[in-house]
Amino acid sequence: MIAALSDKVQKNAWLRYLLLILLGATLCFAYAPFSLSIIPFWVLPLVLVILWRLSPRQAFKSGFAFGFGWFGAGLSWIYVSIEKYGGMPEVANILVLALLIAYLSLYPAIAFSVWRKLCLRSTLWTYSLPLIWLASEWLRGWLFTGFPWLGLGYTQTDALLGGLGSSIGQYGITVVLWFVALAIVTGLRYRRPVNALLLVVVIISAWLAPGLQPIQRSGSSVSVLLVQGNVQQSLKWQADQQWPNILRYLDLTRPQYQHDIIIWPESAITALEPYADDILYNIDQAARVNGAALVTGIIDYDQENDAFFNSVIVLGQQSSEQQLNNSYEYGHSNRYQKHQLLPIGEFVPFESLLRPLAPLFNLPMSSFSRGDYEQSNLVANGHQLNTAICYEIAFSEQVRSNTQEHTDFLLTVSNDTWFGDSHGPWQHMQIAQMRAIEMGRPLLRATNNGVSAVTNEWGEIIAQAPQFETTTVSTQVPLVSGQTLFARAGQWLALFIAVLGLLPLLRNAFNKRGQAREKSVQ
């Protein structure tokens, strides 16, 4: 049956492209909010069956079709912001999104093409696909500042295989998914029941992995309040709304200052920090008197260098001891400045050419400067917070580089209001959950209108606010110690597992060398 299907799509290119677009689009339902984690175990083997006998050129076109379906459905939520805030004709909106999807589709296209080229040299290259795919995904997460969204490993965040994240990370889970797909196809194609053992090994490993991590709860907990302001995006950056916006957050916070840590979302304070000294001083004093630390997103403006920074600062109680005399002063070091900026939204490449074209390339606050790649953890009421702003949480290696042994929590603040009632904010939350699994630290996520939530050290949501409501989330968050295997080793374990796909080649090379030695002896 597998051979028959492969032969049929081999002869009919359009049927092949259509099937691959549909299979790629189906993957959308494996991610949040649908979270049908079983889908990759059907889709990926079927993709391999279709590609099995293709030439490198055919594999490139087929991979592009698969990618177009995958990213087209998975990232369709981007259209919401383009259509509402882009200020362009409908045709132009669709074209911009199509260009982004086409660019991203090049990565699976190249990966499949390289794999088929190697397989045509020798079938011993069959299991090299996980390594090639890993290299392709790393490149996608780095080139042109990177766009590491929709990694296949995220489909398993809430499933059993998600437990592997604490050891091998999201990329490692992606590698495992491709090995399982290859084992299924080769097992059926060549009638190798022994291949089923790989799936058994994977399941057992995923079940055991969390328990093998040296992560322990101290028995203490911290009271945390997330404040979800639900400010309309159309009003957020209007000058006459700065004070009403701050008042909204203050009104939500004032009755609940008894919490250890209070978190406002990304750019909750829209007034530029140097010009908001009075209100920041008052908030700082109110939090200190109540023994609370208040963490908020704000825009910093470095007047000397004419540079804007998307920032997070700590007001109120910073150390674990009362410091009523140490009032807020602009420029204090207990702050984080966003490093990984969002293209178009926070910086515009080739801005002299693009900005005049449409409002899409001239959004409010789209001229930010970058903070350092590695920065000190924020200190809030004596607790260490590794901070990532919005899109940054998708960059696992940056999060890992800023997670220290003394880090207590992962903090991410965001404003996903741009994307309305789409699946984009839920994918964003799922990505953040994977970071909690990888680092073995509870995650605190405050957003303007959702998804605001707190997870434990295994990425399980323990408190969550309803989306699109002006509300707060209050919970006790456990303190933990120890570092996961991924936090210590990073991506090296994913690479090691991927390289195992080259073992047939290495074994063949050793066999040939041994045979050559025998002949020389004779």
Side-chain angles (χ1 to χ4, degrees):
M1 184 180 71
I2 291 179
L5 177 60
S6 182
D7 289 340
K8 191 168 185 178
V9 296
Q10 177 84 20
K11 296 173 183 177
N12 191 328
W14 289 109
L15 174 62
R16 180 169 70 246
Y17 300 150
L18 178 60
L19 283 174
L20 286 166
I21 289 173
L22 290 174
L23 287 171
T26 302
L27 278 177
C28 176
F29 297 100
Y31 299 95
F34 314 103
S35 299
L36 300 176
S37 56
I38 193 66
I39 286 179
F41 295 95
W42 292 93
V43 168
L44 300 187
L46 287 172
V47 170
L48 292 178
V49 168
I50 294 172
L51 294 171
W52 203 259
R53 297 173 61 187
L54 299 183
S55 68
R57 177 173 293 186
Q58 290 172 322
F60 181 89
K61 295 177 181 178
S62 299
F64 187 88
F66 171 73
F68 208 86
W70 176 25
F71 293 114
L75 298 177
S76 57
W77 47 269
I78 295 177
Y79 180 80
V80 176
S81 62
I82 295 177
E83 189 273 333
K84 192 168 184 178
Y85 305 104
M88 300 185 296
E90 190 75 10
V91 174
N93 292 335
I94 295 172
L95 179 61
V96 167
L97 183 58
L99 287 173
L100 172 63
I101 293 168
Y103 161 70
L104 295 172
S105 300
L106 291 174
Y107 291 95
I110 293 171
F112 287 144
S113 179
V114 171
W115 177 61
R116 285 305 303 147
K117 186 171 184 177
L118 293 172
C119 288
L120 288 177
R121 292 183 180 179
S122 170
T123 56
L124 297 174
W125 286 98
T126 298
Y127 281 89
S128 67
L129 178 59
L131 179 59
I132 297 168
W133 189 272
L134 180 62
S136 171
E137 287 291 273
W138 277 348
L139 188 63
R140 179 163 73 90
W142 170 78
L143 197 61
F144 306 124
T145 74
F147 192 79
W149 212 271
L150 288 187
L152 292 174
Y154 291 121
T155 65
Q156 306 303 305
T157 300
D158 299 312
L160 178 62
L161 260 61
L164 292 172
S166 57
S167 296
I168 60 178
Q170 183 274 140
Y171 284 115
I173 297 173
T174 298
V175 167
V176 168
L177 287 172
W178 277 118
F179 271 124
V180 169
L182 284 163
I184 291 171
V185 174
T186 55
L188 294 174
R189 190 178 187 93
Y190 303 117
R191 298 180 182 178
R192 297 174 181 168
V194 70
N195 284 16
L197 288 176
L198 176 61
L199 187 56
V200 174
V201 170
V202 167
I203 291 173
I204 293 174
S205 299
W207 181 66
L208 291 175
L212 296 176
Q213 306 302 322
I215 303 297
Q216 294 182 337
R217 293 190 177 185
S218 66
S220 301
S221 63
V222 177
S223 60
V224 173
L225 181 76
L226 308 182
V227 183
Q228 183 172 284
N230 196 31
V231 177
Q232 293 182 39
Q233 190 61 39
S234 59
L235 300 177
K236 184 176 176 68
W237 294 105
Q238 292 184 15
D240 60 354
Q241 291 297 311
Q242 288 182 356
W243 181 240
N245 290 345
I246 293 173
L247 281 179
R248 176 178 296 198
Y249 282 101
L250 284 172
D251 289 343
L252 290 166
T253 303
R254 198 174 291 112
Q256 305 193 70
Y257 267 125
Q258 74 275 13
H259 290 82
D260 296 318
I261 301 176
I262 299 166
I263 303 171
W264 293 2
E266 178 185 14
S267 61
I269 300 175
T270 53
L272 297 180
E273 187 180 353
Y275 307 118
D277 278 15
D278 290 346
I279 185 60
L280 292 176
Y281 175 84
N282 290 334
I283 296 172
D284 175 77
Q285 290 301 301
R288 285 179 190 275
V289 167
N290 288 279
L294 193 150
V295 184
T296 181
I298 194 169
I299 306 303
D300 182 16
Y301 175 52
D302 181 348
Q303 296 170 299
E304 184 176 342
N305 298 301
D306 191 27
F308 294 89
F309 294 92
N310 191 351
S311 305
V312 174
I313 61 173
V314 181
L315 302 172
Q317 193 74 6
Q318 300 188 27
S319 75
S320 57
E321 300 177 356
Q322 282 286 354
Q323 295 178 310
L324 293 177
N325 295 324
N326 296 333
S327 302
Y328 165 81
E329 290 184 5
Y330 172 68
H332 69 74
S333 60
N334 199 4
R335 65 180 56 240
Y336 174 81
Q337 296 175 328
K338 188 175 184 182
H339 170 78
Q340 200 65 245
L341 302 179
L342 181 66
I344 306 303
E346 293 177 315
F347 83 98
V348 179
F350 313 110
E351 60 179 332
S352 60
L353 297 175
L354 293 179
R355 284 195 184 278
L357 294 180
L360 173 66
F361 302 110
N362 200 27
L363 295 172
M365 308 311 297
S366 58
S367 298
F368 284 115
S369 298
R370 296 180 186 276
D372 294 335
Y373 181 80
E374 290 189 28
Q375 299 180 48
S376 300
N377 286 183
L378 295 179
V379 182
N381 228 331
H383 301 292
Q384 304 278 329
L385 281 63
N386 175 12
T387 306
I389 300 177
C390 192
Y391 166 71
E392 280 186 312
I393 200 68
F395 292 81
S396 61
E397 198 56 32
Q398 181 183 338
V399 174
R400 190 183 78 86
S401 296
N402 286 281
T403 300
Q404 312 300 328
E405 191 171 357
H406 58 259
T407 298
D408 294 307
F409 306 115
L410 302 184
L411 167 68
T412 180
V413 295
S414 186
N415 176 28
D416 289 344
T417 315
W418 299 94
F419 308 112
D421 188 13
S422 68
H423 51 283
W426 294 99
Q427 290 178 0
H428 203 173
M429 181 66 214
Q430 188 177 54
I431 289 170
Q433 287 176 261
M434 180 57 75
R435 296 293 88 82
I437 296 170
E438 290 175 343
M439 304 303 155
R441 288 294 184 272
L443 171 89
L444 318 176
R445 185 172 193 261
T447 71
N448 179 35
N449 70 346
V451 181
S452 299
V454 177
T455 80
N456 62 17
E457 63 273 30
W458 305 119
E460 300 164 339
I461 294 176
I462 57 177
Q464 180 178 317
Q467 207 174 6
F468 312 119
E469 290 188 16
T470 304
T471 187
T472 61
V473 180
S474 173
T475 190
Q476 293 286 330
V477 188
L479 287 169
V480 301
S481 62
Q483 288 186 296
T484 63
L485 189 54
F486 178 83
R488 286 174 285 159
Q491 310 294 350
W492 287 106
L493 287 174
L495 179 61
F496 172 77
I497 295 172
V499 169
L500 294 178
L502 302 182
L503 286 179
L505 283 162
L506 296 175
R507 184 177 62 182
N508 184 62
F510 282 126
N511 289 341
K512 286 184 176 180
R513 182 176 295 181
Q515 292 171 2
R517 286 177 179 173
E518 289 178 4
K519 288 182 180 179
S520 64
V521 170
Q522 293 174 358

